[in-house]
Amino acid sequence: MVTHDSTAALSFQVQQEFHETPLGAGVAEEVLDEQMREFSRAYWGDREEWEPLRRMFAGMQTANAQQLASGGAIYQAMGIFPLGGTADGSEPPERVSRCTLLVSVRELDNPDPAVSVAGITEALSRTNDGGETQLVSLPVGPAVLNIAGSRAVWNLADGEQERFLIRIELWLPFPTENRLLLFCLSTSDVEDLFMYQAVLADIADTITFGDTEHAETDAEAEPGLKSDFG
């Protein structure tokens, strides 16, 4: 797994299948443009005839990154997970599953993490997205897991085309600060929901804050929390 240190007070690890998208935080605009061009080349390859596509992709990603960063995003990545085949590569994967991962930090009036997650759970359970919300216990403290789906329909000349999207969210209050850490993993490969739950659970177990001793004590003392994403 690859460690991501966003600040001195926060770090986490992601699987090697994730490919980070530059967000441009703290760098000049021309530096972000170059980072995005390199990312586009890595994503699409170096074929000369694909240069217009790489430019369009880089421009779209730059605009999206700037918007996300202004909203508190600290990490964005595309996940590409080969499924099937053999570990030594003698048999190719049967298919490839894709997802996106977005991590952001938000301000939160956080008198106590246990109180905060109770409020978040109540608020999420009142939404109309038909999702499932539950409390979970992580090594750094209590959190909220929310799983929801959505459906998009396009009216095309040959009839309707629909697509489903699954979103797995992890809401985690900082142990000793008025801030909230939010992980959002999204995929249209809905049949891989359980795999992506496990992927996010593994990431969640690696989260560390600057002061984790207090959080671990709270997690052990809080009754009724699940110890995993199951």
Side-chain angles (χ1 to χ4, degrees):
M1 301 181 80
V2 181
T3 300
H4 177 81
D5 292 292
S6 59
T7 68
L10 168 64
S11 70
F12 55 89
Q13 297 178 30
V14 299
Q15 293 83 351
Q16 63 183 4
E17 288 84 0
F18 283 103
H19 305 274
E20 184 174 0
T21 308
L23 286 173
V27 301
E29 187 171 347
E30 58 269 21
V31 175
L32 174 60
D33 288 341
E34 179 57 30
Q35 290 176 343
M36 206 61 75
R37 284 193 292 268
E38 293 179 1
F39 177 76
S40 183
R41 282 194 297 269
Y43 188 85
W44 289 105
D46 292 325
R47 291 175 58 175
E48 183 177 351
E49 63 270 26
W50 285 6
E51 178 58 21
L53 178 60
R54 286 194 294 268
R55 288 182 179 179
M56 181 182 68
F57 180 79
M60 292 174 59
Q61 291 295 323
T62 298
N64 185 56
Q66 292 172 331
Q67 182 179 8
L68 290 173
S70 66
I74 60 172
Y75 179 83
Q76 183 188 28
M78 297 180 179
I80 304 174
F81 289 80
L83 302 179
T86 56
D88 61 6
S90 58
E91 294 290 337
E94 298 174 3
R95 62 184 180 90
V96 175
S97 184
R98 292 177 171 83
C99 71
T100 59
L101 178 64
L102 180 66
V103 184
S104 58
V105 174
R106 303 181 180 184
E107 298 299 317
L108 174 70
D109 186 8
N110 179 24
D112 179 83
V115 175
S116 296
V117 296
I120 294 168
T121 302
E122 179 67 18
L124 291 174
S125 64
R126 291 178 179 272
T127 62
N128 295 320
D129 60 5
E132 177 184 342
T133 304
Q134 66 181 38
L135 294 173
V136 294
S137 179
L138 302 179
V140 287
V144 180
L145 177 68
N146 185 62
I147 302 174
S150 59
R151 173 176 174 263
V153 179
W154 293 269
N155 291 314
L156 304 178
D158 56 351
E160 289 187 348
Q161 181 179 355
E162 65 179 4
R163 190 124 187 219
F164 293 91
L165 181 73
I166 292 291
R167 185 178 71 256
I168 309 173
E169 299 172 343
L170 182 69
W171 301 67
L172 175 63
F174 277 61
T176 58
E177 298 180 38
N178 289 325
R179 293 196 291 170
L180 174 75
L181 181 63
L182 173 60
F183 284 76
C184 182
L185 190 155
S186 303
T187 181
S188 59
D189 294 320
V190 296
E191 67 272 27
D192 299 322
L193 170 61
F194 294 127
M195 179 189 76
Y196 284 121
Q197 283 183 256
V199 167
L200 189 54
D202 287 344
I203 296 173
D205 282 341
T206 70
I207 298 171
T208 60
F209 294 102
D211 178 13
T212 59
E213 181 180 354
H214 174 70
E216 290 172 358
T217 302
D218 285 350
E220 292 171 359
E222 178 66 15
L225 298 183
K226 295 181 180 294
S227 59
D228 54 33
F229 284 12

